[in-house]
Amino acid sequence: MTVIVNGKELNLAPDIKTIEALIKLYKLNPLVVIVEQNNTIVARDLYKSTILADGDKIELVHFVGGG
């Protein structure tokens, strides 16, 4: 399956089927990431159950602390 993540085409392994799995693939903390799937923000409590589809456009936005 191919999705667009932050503007870049990505071919996903067959075991990457959900938003949660995609977040793990990128080694992001799900508590500090916002996910948009096809221009719709996905609620954090739905990451585990939201299925990815071929051609999805995903935006991953994470916050970085600093000073």
Side-chain angles (χ1 to χ4, degrees):
M1 166 173 37
T2 302
V3 297
I4 308 297
V5 179
N6 295 349
K8 296 180 183 176
E9 191 170 288
L10 178 66
N11 292 313
L12 296 177
D15 61 327
I16 308 296
K17 298 178 182 180
T18 64
I19 296 288
E20 179 184 60
L22 186 64
I23 290 170
K24 286 180 182 177
L25 175 69
Y26 278 90
K27 298 179 181 168
L28 298 172
N29 180 342
L31 298 177
V32 296
V33 69
I34 295 173
V35 180
E36 185 179 283
Q37 181 181 33
N38 301 320
N39 300 315
T40 302
I41 293 176
V42 179
R44 189 169 284 118
D45 60 337
L46 298 178
Y47 289 174
K48 189 174 188 171
S49 63
T50 302
I51 303 297
L52 296 167
D54 194 48
D56 274 352
K57 291 182 176 91
I58 306 294
E59 292 293 326
L60 299 174
V61 179
H62 61 96
F63 300 99
V64 178

